[in-house]
Amino acid sequence: MAEGCNHGHSHGGGGGGHGHSHGTPDASDAENSKGLEFNLYLKIDMDSLTCLNEEDEGSGKTVFRAYEKRMDRSKFVASDVDEELLFNIPFTGQVKLKGLLVIGGERETHPNKMRLFKNRPNMSFDDARAKPDQELDVHVDQEGVIEYKPIVARFSDVTHLSIHFPSNHGGAESTEVYYIGLKGDYMQAHRHEVTITAYESRANPADHKTNALNQVNHMIS
């Protein structure tokens, strides 16, 4: 099994499907729970997100959507001149990345590796030749059930995530990605504004004492 890979589901046992126990959440509950977890797409600056080597301009943005819509096969990105895809994903705040899901095309076009880079905005394919912060083997997954675990200590302060898919399982010229799910904690970016403190909001007794003495001296003189 690949580093950081967690299948996150059980295949169930034999015995006529009696692997279900009372009190286990039903499929809809599990779906809702996953949907709440993989919601970081809401924290992506979509206007600034780019996907390099996409065949159709803007198609890379469509793979970041609600978990419940992950099976929508009408929205996907296909690579253009070769099998590589590179996503540059800026967030609107700071993220602690805890999990990823990847749904690709059929086996021959499904990505087989995923290389993650942290806080390197506007990466090019030349930049992606550098050593990634983490590299993961990607398995063929048509339903988004295989969860990949980043090294949280490395991805605890992410403002920009780059995902490089260098190749696919079949050696095809085109790689297809239908859905990328991102899970983690989000912190709103702080605005650095100058705060002006009203120092005179409370009277300073020393000032009044000085004024009183000046008035007395003026009267005496």
Side-chain angles (χ1 to χ4, degrees), residues 165-177:
F165 296 108
S167 52
N168 52 50
H169 281 275
E173 291 186 2
S174 180
T175 296
E176 295 180 353
V177 175

Side-chain angles (χ1 to χ4, degrees), residues 103-163:
I103 296 179
E106 299 300 324
R107 172 171 292 276
E108 62 273 12
T109 61
H110 197 294
N112 66 346
K113 289 188 181 299
M114 173 168 55
R115 307 172 75 244
L116 305 178
F117 297 87
K118 180 188 78 171
N119 298 343
R120 305 190 206 183
N122 305 313
M123 287 188 68
S124 67
F125 283 113
D126 286 339
D127 298 327
R129 303 297 171 233
K131 181 180 179 181
D133 292 289
Q134 188 172 357
E135 181 169 326
L136 300 159
D137 290 328
V138 178
H139 302 275
V140 176
D141 183 5
Q142 302 295 326
E143 298 181 0
V145 295
I146 301 176
E147 182 177 338
Y148 301 93
K149 296 288 191 180
I151 300 171
V152 178
R154 294 183 188 173
F155 294 91
S156 60
D157 56 348
V158 181
T159 57
H160 188 286
L161 177 68
S162 295
I163 304 177

Side-chain angles (χ1 to χ4, degrees), residues 10-198:
S10 61
H11 295 281
H18 293 290
H20 178 80
S21 60
H22 293 288
T24 301
D26 59 25
S28 61
D29 288 340
E31 183 91 354
N32 292 336
S33 177
K34 279 281 192 181
L36 291 173
E37 289 180 343
F38 285 89
N39 64 355
L40 280 184
Y41 73 97
L42 295 170
K43 307 303 182 182
I44 295 174
D45 179 1
M46 285 293 183
D47 290 337
S48 301
L49 185 150
T50 60
C51 178
L52 276 60
N53 197 36
E54 57 186 359
E55 185 175 31
D56 296 324
E57 184 176 353
S59 58
K61 297 181 179 183
T62 68
V63 306
F64 298 94
R65 55 183 185 269
Y67 176 81
E68 295 79 8
K69 297 181 180 179
R70 69 192 184 284
M71 303 297 290
D72 183 355
R73 306 296 286 183
S74 68
K75 296 178 180 179
F76 69 98
V77 59
S79 63
D80 189 11
V81 299
D82 57 26
E83 72 275 21
E84 291 188 76
L85 286 169
L86 176 59
F87 294 88
N88 284 309
I89 309 159
F91 294 102
T92 57
Q94 184 171 290
V95 166
K96 177 185 287 187
L97 187 65
K98 294 183 174 180
L100 300 98
L101 302 175
V102 177
I103 296 179
E106 299 300 324
R107 172 171 292 276
E108 62 273 12
T109 61
H110 197 294
N112 66 346
K113 289 188 181 299
M114 173 168 55
R115 307 172 75 244
L116 305 178
F117 297 87
K118 180 188 78 171
N119 298 343
R120 305 190 206 183
N122 305 313
M123 287 188 68
S124 67
F125 283 113
D126 286 339
D127 298 327
R129 303 297 171 233
K131 181 180 179 181
D133 292 289
Q134 188 172 357
E135 181 169 326
L136 300 159
D137 290 328
V138 178
H139 302 275
V140 176
D141 183 5
Q142 302 295 326
E143 298 181 0
V145 295
I146 301 176
E147 182 177 338
Y148 301 93
K149 296 288 191 180
I151 300 171
V152 178
R154 294 183 188 173
F155 294 91
S156 60
D157 56 348
V158 181
T159 57
H160 188 286
L161 177 68
S162 295
I163 304 177
H164 178 217
F165 296 108
S167 52
N168 52 50
H169 281 275
E173 291 186 2
S174 180
T175 296
E176 295 180 353
V177 175
Y178 285 78
Y179 171 78
I180 296 176
L182 301 173
K183 178 176 78 171
D185 299 330
Y186 173 82
M187 184 187 307
Q188 183 69 43
H190 293 290
R191 294 178 180 272
H192 295 284
E193 297 178 348
V194 177
T195 302
I196 300 174
T197 304

